[in-house]
Amino acid sequence: MAKESFDKEIQFLRMLVLTSGAYSRQQFAERLGISVHTFDKTLRHLKEVVAATYQQIPESQGKEFAETLRYSYFDSADPMLLFLFRAKSVKETESQRISLLLAAMNEKALTTMELLDVCSNSLPAESAQPDEKTIRNDLKYLEEVGVIMKEPGPRPFRYRIHNDFVQELTADELIDLYDFVDVMANTQVPSVQGYLLRDGLKKHMNRSSPSLASIDPFLYKYHYYSRILDEAHLFTLLKAIRSRKNVQFLYFSPKNSQSYASKNTNPLFERDMEGKQENTLPLKVVYDHQYGRWYLLSYNTRHGIKKYRMEGITHLEEGESADPDIFEEHLKELEQKITYSWLIDTGRPVTVQARFFNPGDLQPNFIKERVCLQGQWGQIMEETEESFIFEIVVNGTTEIKPWLRSFGSSCEVLTPHSLRNEMLTEWKEIIDYYESV
């Protein structure tokens, strides 16, 4: 499947989650910058993806389509939208061929030519038959990701499944490993690869002993769907940063009325397209735990340091390599600009002082513990039995304000006065919401 289609499905699913079906077909298509016909076609394709993804799950573990495709946060404890990564990680033809190769190598070690014969004899006659070069490329890919290994010995080389690790684990060790991966995938970022590893372990446990995977000891409520969807671009960007390469993409800022544009020759959609073509040198990727968002920080020859929300990036492609010295120069410039950033703000540094009130006689003092844990480089300047004053230098107050606000009545902003007045205005608005009717 083309990269463009993957982008379209990512934005399609993101909107479906955020709107919970409140948009009509026409509104949905306009917001995405596609036609109603393309909307219907994409929806049909997503249904096919879901059906194909879950058809191999045992009946006892199977999911009805309607249950699987629940987009409301309240309806499911599973990390929804992960099925897109399971189904779109390889093309359909690649998926069929690789499945055959793995099934053959699971029985015994085979050479490239023997695997070519397996594919030729097993693939349907109407499908494209692979050649030796294709099989070698598949084996190279599978070896790189650690799925298979090359057996020692003379040419021609023989390949077999590399599953020694899980095969040697006892039942208790398998359960411990599964629980560890489950916890890490749900609490750390990035998480998609962890979920895929967890599901692979669960299938292995079901094959060896169905009773092993019958109970999940941990249940999580997933908050941020965009976190999973944006990981589709994450590793491409990290690779570009490591190799010091420029990237090109079509960007839709959060203020745009559209979030996607199809690559076609229709003048209507070309005229209405609100995305902006960007050519930039990626320097750093930052994750915002407060809102579950990924950000790309990069250098642009016209505008200098630029920041992008990754949810607005589509049609991402690698570009030309940058000079290593120039890359390091821009990276150093970025690090200086974000030295006092609460997240990614590069504005003027300002000193923020706030008084935090202790929670009475409660022990431990969870207010102080949270401030010390999350307060980054800030310091407690003054302390009494009732409260303490916290001081920190940050670039601007926009990013730290939600954190201060999250403490509710346990936090009073002292300086700067502009931030204090902003907080007063916001709290007065909240009071008005709760006035008796």
Side-chain angles (χ1 to χ4, degrees):
M1 190 62 67
K3 290 181 180 178
E4 179 192 351
S5 181
F6 198 6
D7 282 339
K8 178 172 60 183
E9 289 158 355
I10 286 175
Q11 300 302 334
F12 188 100
L13 292 173
R14 193 194 312 277
M15 280 192 60
L16 208 53
V17 169
L18 295 177
T19 62
S20 298
Y23 280 8
S24 67
R25 290 164 63 243
Q26 184 65 43
Q27 290 172 320
F28 211 107
E30 289 176 359
R31 185 70 174 83
L32 277 175
I34 61 177
S35 65
V36 175
H37 172 71
T38 305
F39 169 88
D40 293 336
K41 187 169 66 173
T42 305
L43 185 59
R44 284 197 303 270
H45 178 65
L46 284 172
K47 292 178 180 178
E48 293 171 0
V49 168
V50 172
T53 301
Y54 289 103
Q55 68 181 0
Q56 296 178 350
I57 293 180
E59 189 174 350
S60 59
Q61 307 259 331
K63 298 183 178 182
E64 293 294 329
F65 169 75
E67 183 180 347
T68 302
L69 210 57
R70 285 180 178 173
Y71 294 105
S72 171
Y73 164 78
F74 299 102
D75 285 346
S76 175
D78 291 332
M80 286 302 299
L81 314 184
L82 193 63
F83 70 86
L84 188 63
F85 287 88
R86 295 193 188 102
K88 297 302 292 290
S89 54
V90 292
K91 297 177 182 176
E92 185 178 355
T93 54
E94 292 174 336
S95 178
Q96 292 177 347
R97 192 171 63 248
I98 288 176
S99 297
L100 284 174
L101 296 176
L102 292 176
M105 286 183 284
N106 191 40
E107 297 176 1
K108 61 179 180 178
L110 297 172
T111 65
T112 303
M113 297 309 297
E114 289 172 335
L115 290 168
L116 179 60
D117 292 338
V118 169
C119 288
S120 300
N121 295 331
S122 304
L123 286 173
E126 64 274 9
S127 63
Q129 298 296 316
D131 55 16
E132 183 181 348
K133 182 180 178 181
T134 303
I135 299 298
R136 290 192 184 278
N137 287 336
D138 290 340
L139 293 174
K140 182 181 178 182
Y141 163 72
L142 292 172
E143 191 175 10
E144 285 177 352
V145 298
V147 175
I148 65 173
M149 65 179 297
K150 189 186 300 179
E151 285 197 335
R155 291 178 179 271
F157 296 122
R158 293 182 173 273
Y159 298 86
R160 67 176 179 85
I161 296 290
H162 188 193
N163 59 353
D164 300 348
F165 178 69
V166 292
Q167 293 287 359
E168 293 171 0
L169 294 178
T170 65
D172 289 340
E173 289 172 336
L174 270 175
I175 293 174
D176 289 343
L177 177 61
Y178 175 84
D179 292 344
F180 173 78
V181 172
D182 190 26
V183 170
M184 297 302 288
N186 279 284
T187 58
Q188 304 295 311
V189 291
S191 57
V192 167
Q193 291 178 322
Y195 286 124
L196 298 177
L197 175 59
R198 181 197 65 176
D199 292 349
L201 283 171
K202 192 161 191 174
K203 288 178 182 177
H204 173 74
M205 292 162 67
N206 274 324
R207 285 193 296 266
S208 57
S209 177
S211 61
L212 289 179
S214 58
I215 298 176
D216 288 325
F218 307 105
L219 291 176
Y220 300 89
K221 172 57 72 176
Y222 195 76
H223 292 278
Y224 301 120
Y225 295 109
S226 290
R227 190 179 93 180
I228 280 183
L229 294 177
D230 292 340
E231 285 187 32
H233 296 317
L234 175 63
F235 293 98
T236 303
L237 291 171
L238 292 178
K239 180 184 175 184
I241 292 172
R242 284 194 299 269
S243 57
R244 297 176 175 82
K245 286 188 175 182
N246 287 276
V247 294
Q248 295 94 38
F249 52 82
L250 189 63
Y251 183 66
F252 296 84
S253 76
K255 296 179 182 179
N256 282 356
S257 61
Q258 290 183 1
S259 60
Y260 176 81
S262 56
K263 287 185 176 180
N264 54 39
T265 57
N266 188 324
L268 173 64
F269 291 112
E270 284 186 356
R271 185 169 64 249
D272 290 344
M273 186 180 71
E274 297 186 16
K276 185 177 181 182
Q277 192 68 40
E278 299 283 349
N279 189 330
T280 188
L281 178 63
L283 302 172
K284 186 182 284 288
V285 173
V286 176
Y287 178 68
D288 179 8
H289 285 270
Q290 186 84 20
Y291 294 107
R293 294 173 183 154
W294 294 96
Y295 291 89
L296 169 65
L297 308 184
S298 65
Y299 177 81
N300 184 284
T301 52
R302 289 187 60 189
H303 305 286
I305 300 298
K306 287 200 70 174
K307 294 162 277 190
Y308 304 92
R309 285 243 299 258
M310 277 176 55
E311 66 189 69
I313 293 176
T314 64
H315 311 310
L316 176 64
E317 295 177 356
E318 277 193 4
E320 298 178 353
S321 297
D323 184 280
D325 294 333
I326 295 178
F327 178 89
E328 293 300 330
E329 179 184 332
H330 295 322
L331 182 60
K332 186 176 181 180
E333 177 190 355
L334 173 64
E335 296 291 355
Q336 290 175 346
K337 284 180 175 290
I338 63 173
T339 300
Y340 296 111
S341 297
W342 184 259
L343 183 66
I344 59 170
D345 199 336
T346 53
R348 181 177 57 86
V350 60
T351 300
V352 175
Q353 276 194 346
R355 183 186 302 278
F356 290 89
F357 298 94
N358 297 322
D361 297 329
L362 293 177
Q363 292 297 330
N365 186 341
F366 63 89
I367 298 292
K368 185 177 179 181
E369 285 185 357
R370 183 183 165 197
V371 170
C372 292
L373 177 66
Q374 301 175 347
Q376 304 196 59
W377 54 87
Q379 294 180 329
I380 294 176
M381 307 301 294
E382 183 182 316
E383 191 169 8
T384 65
E385 290 185 4
E386 293 80 21
S387 65
F388 61 90
I389 294 177
F390 174 76
E391 181 178 291
I392 186 172
V393 178
V394 290
N395 289 347
T397 59
T398 302
E399 293 176 344
I400 196 175
K401 187 163 67 171
W403 181 73
L404 294 169
R405 192 169 50 222
S406 68
F407 286 90
S409 61
S410 296
C411 173
E412 177 193 4
V413 174
L414 304 177
T415 59
H417 293 295
S418 58
L419 176 60
R420 180 180 175 87
N421 291 334
E422 287 177 20
M423 299 289 280
L424 280 169
T425 302
E426 290 179 6
W427 287 118
K428 285 178 181 178
E429 290 179 1
I430 293 174
I431 290 174
D432 291 341
Y433 296 153
Y434 288 92
E435 282 188 352
S436 59
V437 179

